[in-house]
Amino acid sequence: MRRAEIPAAEGAERLDRALARAWPDLSRSRLQALIRGGGVTLDGAAIRDPSVKVAGGARVAVTVPPAAPAVPEPEARVLAVVYEDDDLIVIDKPPGLVVHPAPGHHSGTLVNALIAHCGASLSGIGGVRRPGIVHRLDKDTSGLLVVAKNDAAHLGLTQQFADHGVTGRLERAYLALVWGVPDPRTGTIDAALARSERNREKIAVVRPERGRRAVTHYRTEAVLGETEPVGLLRCRLETGRTHQIRVHLSHRGHPLLGDATYGAAFRTKAARLSPAAREALAALGRQALHAAILGFVHPRTNAFLRFESPPPPDLARLMAALAP
C-alpha cells in the first residue's frame, strides 16, 4: 500500500490529478481504475469518484495490486526486433499480423508473441489483452511499433503518443501508394472522423460536431505508373484515429492501392496498370501502407531514438513494378 499527503496546490484539484502528481510512475488512467475499484482511501474513507476535489494536506492511501496476468497465452514466433532494452521493444511488424487479441483473433497476435519473447517483464497495464501496447497498426499495415515493458515506460510513451508530436519530439511517418496524384502535391487534410452510420465496421468523414478531429499531413514523394498515375506519399499524423490515413486519402479521391474497404470503387483502375504492376498488386493483397519512420524520447534516459524501416518485400515489388 502506498501512502501520501496531497501536496499544496492552488485551490482544490481532482483526486486523480492529485494522485498522478504524487505518484508519477502510475498513469492517470490506471489511478482512475484503482479509484473506481475501491483501492483508494481519502482521510481513511474509501472513495470511488476520480473527479472528487481534494485540497492540500489530505491524506491518501492507494492499494496497487500486482499487474494482472495477461489473458493471451505465450506463442513462440520470430519477431523482427529493431531495438530492445529493459524498458521497451521496437518491432518491425509484418503485414497480416494482428497486434492484440480481438473478436476473431484470439491467438496468433503480436501480443502472444511478445508475451513469449518478453516474459514477466511485459507491462501489465494497457488492458489484460493489450499488455504493453502503446499504439497499434492495422492488421494489414506493416512497419514500426514500440511496446512498453513496464509501467513507467508505458506512461512515458503513452503521453508522447497522446500528444502526437504537437509539443514533443514524437515522429511517425508512413509511406502510402495512392491512386492518382493529390492536388496540391503537399498539403494537410483536416476532417473529423467517426464510425459510419451505414457500416459500423468502417470509419467515415463527418461534420466536426459529430466526430473527433483528425489531421493528416502528406507530401508526394514521387509519381509512379506508366499507364495509370500512382502517387507515392509520405504521411505524418497530427492525430491518431482509427484508419485515419486510409479514410482521409479516400475522402480526397486518392484511396490506397489494395484497400478493399475504402478503395473498392477504384478496382477497375488496376486493369490499366502494366502486367507486372497488376501482378504485384494482386500479390500484395492489402492496402499499400507502411509505417516507415518512428522516433520518440526514451521514457527513462530521455535520449531521442529514431528508427527507419524500408518497405517490406511485397510493397517493394509493387513499387518497383510501378516505377517508370
Side-chain angles (χ1 to χ4, degrees):
M1 178 180 291
R2 303 186 184 192
R3 300 179 185 276
E5 181 176 303
I6 299 297
E10 289 188 10
E13 63 180 329
R14 285 174 57 110
L15 175 61
D16 54 353
R17 287 181 183 155
L19 295 183
R21 287 200 300 122
W23 292 296
D25 61 312
L26 295 175
S27 67
R28 191 170 164 192
S29 61
R30 191 176 195 196
L31 287 166
Q32 290 172 344
L34 291 172
I35 295 169
R36 294 190 180 101
V40 175
T41 61
L42 179 63
D43 290 330
I47 191 162
R48 295 177 181 267
D49 184 358
S51 67
V52 163
K53 302 293 185 179
V54 294
R59 297 184 179 277
V60 293
V62 178
T63 301
V64 183
V71 172
E73 294 293 325
E75 297 176 9
R77 179 189 181 110
V78 176
L79 295 172
V81 178
V82 177
Y83 174 87
E84 183 175 12
D85 61 24
D86 292 339
D87 300 296
L88 55 88
I89 181 171
V90 178
I91 301 293
D92 198 343
K93 187 185 88 67
L97 178 62
V98 175
V99 170
H100 55 73
H105 297 283
H106 296 291
S107 63
T109 70
L110 176 61
V111 161
N112 295 109
L114 286 169
I115 293 172
H117 180 88
C118 301
S121 68
L122 195 64
S123 173
I125 59 175
V128 293
R129 290 188 176 274
R130 296 183 293 178
I133 299 300
V134 177
H135 64 121
R136 60 182 292 272
L137 298 175
D138 292 340
K139 170 189 173 185
D140 291 327
T141 297
S142 55
L144 296 166
L145 184 143
V146 60
V147 176
K149 286 186 174 183
N150 53 58
D151 285 4
H154 193 282
L155 175 62
L157 290 170
T158 298
Q159 290 174 339
Q160 293 183 62
F161 277 84
D163 185 61
H164 295 287
V166 175
T167 59
R169 297 181 65 190
L170 180 72
E171 182 182 1
R172 297 173 73 188
Y174 294 74
L175 290 179
L177 290 175
V178 303
W179 292 111
V181 183
D183 183 16
R185 294 196 175 191
T186 298
T188 296
I189 304 171
D190 187 341
L193 300 177
R195 286 283 172 187
S196 170
E197 294 182 352
R198 297 181 179 180
N199 183 345
R200 300 301 293 174
E201 295 184 359
K202 296 178 65 174
I203 305 298
V205 170
V206 297
R207 293 190 302 274
E209 65 272 16
R210 288 192 50 235
R212 302 177 70 189
R213 185 169 185 249
V215 181
T216 302
H217 305 282
Y218 70 88
R219 182 178 75 235
T220 303
E221 300 276 283
V223 178
L224 308 176
E226 296 183 32
T227 56
E228 181 66 31
V230 171
L232 172 60
L233 272 54
R234 183 177 295 270
C235 301
R236 182 175 64 82
L237 299 182
E238 189 173 313
T239 57
R241 312 304 180 200
T242 301
H243 298 177
Q244 179 175 314
I245 292 175
R246 298 165 62 189
V247 177
H248 270 175
L249 292 174
S250 179
H251 176 66
R252 280 289 183 91
H254 301 285
L256 273 64
L257 271 66
D259 193 337
T261 302
Y262 300 105
F266 284 69
R267 285 176 181 166
T268 55
K269 286 185 175 290
R272 297 200 285 269
L273 296 175
S274 68
R278 286 201 305 271
E279 182 180 347
L281 178 57
L284 184 72
R286 65 180 181 97
Q287 67 264 10
L289 185 63
H290 177 65
I293 296 176
L294 176 63
F296 55 88
V297 176
H298 193 287
R300 180 174 56 83
T301 68
N302 288 322
F304 184 70
L305 304 180
R306 187 179 188 275
F307 307 95
E308 292 193 36
S309 167
D314 61 349
L315 190 57
R317 283 194 296 269
L318 177 58
M319 292 169 64
L322 288 167

Coordinates of all heavy atoms in Angstrom, one line a residue, residues 98 100-107 109 129 201:
V98 N -2.0 -9.4 -36.6 CA -2.9 -8.6 -35.7 C -2.1 -8.2 -34.5 O -1.3 -9.0 -33.9 CB -4.1 -9.4 -35.3 CG1 -5.0 -8.7 -34.3 CG2 -4.9 -9.8 -36.6
H100 N -3.2 -7.1 -31.3 CA -3.6 -7.7 -30.0 C -4.9 -8.5 -30.2 O -5.6 -8.3 -31.1 CB -3.8 -6.6 -28.9 CG -4.8 -5.5 -29.4 ND1 -6.1 -5.7 -29.4 CD2 -4.5 -4.2 -29.7 CE1 -6.7 -4.5 -29.8 NE2 -5.7 -3.6 -30.0
P101 N -5.2 -9.4 -29.3 CA -6.4 -10.3 -29.4 C -7.6 -9.4 -29.5 O -7.8 -8.4 -28.8 CB -6.3 -11.1 -28.1 CG -4.9 -11.2 -27.8 CD -4.3 -9.8 -28.1
A102 N -8.5 -9.9 -30.3 CA -9.8 -9.2 -30.5 C -10.8 -10.3 -31.0 O -10.3 -11.4 -31.3 CB -9.7 -8.1 -31.5
P103 N -12.1 -10.0 -31.1 CA -13.0 -11.0 -31.6 C -12.5 -11.5 -33.0 O -12.3 -10.7 -33.9 CB -14.3 -10.2 -31.7 CG -14.2 -9.2 -30.6 CD -12.8 -8.8 -30.6
G104 N -12.4 -12.8 -33.1 CA -12.0 -13.4 -34.4 C -10.5 -13.6 -34.4 O -10.0 -14.3 -35.3
H105 N -9.8 -13.0 -33.5 CA -8.3 -13.1 -33.4 C -7.9 -13.3 -32.0 O -7.3 -12.4 -31.4 CB -7.6 -11.9 -34.0 CG -7.9 -11.7 -35.5 ND1 -7.3 -12.4 -36.5 CD2 -8.8 -10.8 -36.1 CE1 -7.8 -12.0 -37.7 NE2 -8.7 -11.0 -37.4
H106 N -8.1 -14.5 -31.4 CA -7.8 -14.7 -30.0 C -6.4 -15.3 -29.8 O -5.9 -15.4 -28.7 CB -8.8 -15.7 -29.4 CG -10.2 -15.2 -29.4 ND1 -10.6 -14.2 -28.6 CD2 -11.3 -15.5 -30.1 CE1 -11.9 -13.9 -28.7 NE2 -12.3 -14.7 -29.7
S107 N -5.7 -15.6 -30.9 CA -4.3 -16.1 -30.8 C -3.6 -15.7 -32.1 O -4.2 -15.2 -33.0 CB -4.3 -17.7 -30.6 OG -4.9 -18.3 -31.8
T109 N -1.4 -13.4 -32.4 CA -1.2 -12.0 -32.5 C 0.2 -11.6 -32.0 O 1.0 -12.4 -31.5 CB -2.2 -11.2 -31.6 OG1 -1.9 -11.5 -30.2 CG2 -3.7 -11.7 -31.8
R129 N -5.6 -7.8 -22.3 CA -5.4 -8.3 -23.6 C -4.5 -7.5 -24.5 O -4.2 -7.8 -25.6 CB -6.8 -8.4 -24.3 CG -7.7 -9.5 -23.8 CD -9.0 -9.7 -24.6 NE -9.8 -10.8 -24.1 CZ -9.6 -12.0 -24.5 NH1 -8.6 -12.4 -25.3 NH2 -10.4 -13.0 -24.0
E201 N -18.4 -1.1 -39.3 CA -17.0 -1.6 -39.4 C -16.1 -0.6 -40.1 O -14.9 -0.8 -40.2 CB -17.0 -2.9 -40.1 CG -17.7 -4.1 -39.3 CD -17.5 -5.4 -40.0 OE1 -16.9 -5.5 -41.1 OE2 -18.0 -6.4 -39.4

